Amino acid sequence: MYKRTVPVIAAVFPALFLSAGPAPATTYGEDDVLNTYVDCPLERIGTQLVRCDNLTGTGVDAPSWIPEQK
C-alpha cells in the first residue's frame, strides 16, 4: 500500500502550491499615493527614527550617530 501512496502524495503536494491562479491585479485610485523619500534624510527624534516626519524603524532604538531632527 505504501508503494502507491507515497508517489501520489509526492505528486499532489507540489500541485497544491503550483495550481494557484495568478494574483489579482491591483488598481490604484486617487487616494493611493506612492511615497518616495528621496529628499528627506534619515533623522531621529529621541530614540525614534523618522524620515519626512514619518516614524520608521519598527520601534528599534535609533543609534546616537544619526542626527537629531531640528
Side-chain angles (χ1 to χ4, degrees):
M1 171 146 174
Y2 291 113
K3 289 184 180 182
R4 287 190 291 188
T5 309
V6 172
V8 170
I9 291 173
V12 171
F13 187 70
L16 293 173
F17 298 104
L18 298 176
S19 65
T26 20
T27 56
Y28 295 102
E30 291 179 13
D31 295 338
D32 298 327
V33 177
L34 179 63
N35 291 326
T36 56
Y37 301 111
V38 176
D39 297 331
C40 300
L42 182 64
E43 299 174 316
R44 66 182 171 89
I45 298 176
T47 61
Q48 297 294 312
L49 292 168
V50 293
R51 185 182 301 265
C52 293
D53 293 333
N54 290 321
L55 286 175
T56 183
T58 63
V60 176
D61 288 343
S64 60
W65 54 267
I66 295 181
E68 184 94 24
Q69 189 179 43
K70 297 176 184 174

